Amino acid sequence: MKKILIATEKPFAPVALKKIEKVFDKAGKNYQLVLLESYKERKELLQAVADAQALIVRSDKVDAEVFEAASNLQVVIRAGAGYDNVDLEAATARGVVVMNTPGQNSNAVAELAIGLAIFGLRELFSGKPGGELRGRTLGLHGFGYVARNVFRIARAFGMKVIVYTRYSKGAAAAIGLKVTHSLEQLYAKSDVVSIHVPARGEHIKSVSYEILNELKDGAVLVNTARKEVVNEPDLVRIMEEKPNFKYMSDITPDCENIFKEKFEGRYFFTPKKAGAQTAEANINAGVAAAEQIVAFFEKGDRTFQVNKK
């Protein structure tokens, strides 16, 4: 009997849990599903994971301490696309496979990105005259699952869409996207830029002053990725130099107080990370995580492994 622990400070919706349970029920009697929801203290997680063979988390931190406590752990599934909350080096050192569930939240995040763009162009619904999406140029900074959905939605609004990507140029061109030669060119040509790159490697603080300075005064920057990809001091500098520029995000920056003091009416941050906060995304990611665990144990499937093999 394999113990599957779902540890979620922010629990899955009840309907998602029912569907997750069905996945394991269908797989046979070999799985024991255990829930640790809305836990307040870290020791609760460390105790619960001690004898688990598999762990499903959302934004919960899975670090070296967790892997140290979980001597039987074989696989961790991050129900979502980003996995910066999981210590991959510690997992690899312990021989634990880490996977994410790419694409399951992508439509939810894409709809939020478009919504934030509209909110910015319409002057935060303040009553001031705003602008429309139609006819404007949207620049996609990155071209993963979310960006592809943003492209689909934006095209329906009548936007011209361009993209900068180093690794998916052929895929982007194949569906009719114009690929810019550089990140600077993307920002210079766009009325709205939507960021869709992970918070690692070359992407950390890649949205720098040199890049932001290419934007038109009056442009809208939408960030539904991670705060680490934006150089915050440079962002503040651009906000000061371009008085009509707006920044819309579902991640509150560390310099939020400066925004409150200086840039009223030119920014918006959701109270918490909101991209995947829909019933549909909640269900999709949870079910995908369960299915990946079953496939891992029954077939040795590691398709979505994100740490070293």
Side-chain angles (χ1 to χ4, degrees), residues 233-280:
D234 288 358
L235 175 63
V236 169
R237 181 180 172 187
I238 288 295
M239 294 287 290
E240 291 172 336
E241 294 180 3
K242 297 181 185 289
N244 297 304
F245 168 74
K246 297 184 184 67
Y247 181 60
M248 318 295 291
S249 182
D250 71 336
I251 317 105
T252 301
D254 294 332
C255 58
E256 181 186 15
N257 287 339
I258 297 177
F259 276 80
K260 288 181 177 179
E261 292 171 9
K262 295 185 175 183
F263 309 127
E264 183 179 356
R266 297 175 51 206
Y267 73 93
F268 176 77
F269 311 132
T270 58
K272 62 180 181 178
K273 193 81 171 78
Q277 296 301 316
T278 68
E280 294 87 348

Side-chain angles (χ1 to χ4, degrees), residues 18-289:
K18 287 182 180 179
K19 290 181 180 290
I20 291 170
E21 289 171 358
K22 286 183 179 180
V23 171
F24 290 112
D25 288 343
K26 186 178 179 180
K29 298 181 180 180
N30 225 12
Y31 301 96
Q32 176 193 11
L33 188 61
V34 177
L35 302 181
L36 176 65
E37 298 182 311
S38 304
Y39 60 94
K40 303 299 181 184
E41 296 184 14
R42 187 162 178 77
K43 66 180 181 181
E44 296 178 67
L45 172 60
L46 298 177
Q47 291 170 356
V49 79
D51 59 346
Q53 280 77 36
L55 173 64
I56 296 174
V57 296
R58 299 186 69 197
S59 298
D60 310 76
K61 188 175 183 180
V62 185
D63 58 13
E65 186 181 27
V66 174
F67 289 112
E68 182 76 25
S71 58
N72 296 325
L73 195 61
Q74 297 180 50
V75 59
V76 174
I77 311 289
R78 155 66 166 121
Y83 46 87
D84 49 319
N85 55 309
V86 182
D87 187 332
L88 300 188
E89 289 187 7
T92 301
R94 287 277 175 175
V96 179
V97 172
V98 180
M99 302 187 210
N100 64 346
T101 60
Q104 302 301 325
N105 299 336
S106 57
N107 184 70
V109 180
E111 288 189 8
L112 177 64
I114 292 293
L116 289 173
I118 292 172
F119 196 43
L121 285 172
R122 298 298 289 267
E123 299 292 340
L124 283 62
F125 301 157
S126 62
K128 298 177 183 178
E132 301 177 12
L133 294 180
R134 187 173 64 174
R136 281 182 164 80
T137 297
L138 170 68
L140 298 175
H141 179 172
F143 194 59
Y145 289 99
V146 175
R148 295 172 199 219
N149 277 279
V150 173
F151 167 60
R152 170 181 55 81
I153 299 168
R155 188 169 55 175
F157 273 97
M159 299 190 80
K160 176 184 177 182
V161 186
I162 58 178
V163 64
Y164 176 72
T165 174
R166 292 182 61 184
Y167 307 106
S168 304
K169 293 179 181 178
I175 60 173
L177 265 169
K178 180 180 178 181
V179 182
T180 62
H181 299 299
S182 66
L183 197 54
E184 289 86 350
Q185 186 182 49
L186 179 85
Y187 277 63
K189 289 181 174 292
S190 300
D191 300 299
V192 178
V193 173
S194 191
I195 302 173
H196 301 289
V197 292
R200 54 181 191 273
E202 67 199 55
H203 301 300
I204 299 294
K205 297 186 178 180
S206 61
V207 184
S208 63
Y209 179 82
E210 291 72 23
I211 300 299
L212 292 168
N213 196 43
E214 297 291 338
L215 286 168
K216 308 165 187 175
D217 189 15
V220 176
L221 179 63
V222 176
N223 182 11
T224 55
R226 290 288 190 269
K227 68 179 179 180
E228 291 83 2
V229 304
V230 177
N231 185 310
E232 291 189 6
D234 288 358
L235 175 63
V236 169
R237 181 180 172 187
I238 288 295
M239 294 287 290
E240 291 172 336
E241 294 180 3
K242 297 181 185 289
N244 297 304
F245 168 74
K246 297 184 184 67
Y247 181 60
M248 318 295 291
S249 182
D250 71 336
I251 317 105
T252 301
D254 294 332
C255 58
E256 181 186 15
N257 287 339
I258 297 177
F259 276 80
K260 288 181 177 179
E261 292 171 9
K262 295 185 175 183
F263 309 127
E264 183 179 356
R266 297 175 51 206
Y267 73 93
F268 176 77
F269 311 132
T270 58
K272 62 180 181 178
K273 193 81 171 78
Q277 296 301 316
T278 68
E280 294 87 348
N282 195 272
I283 293 169
N284 293 344
V287 170

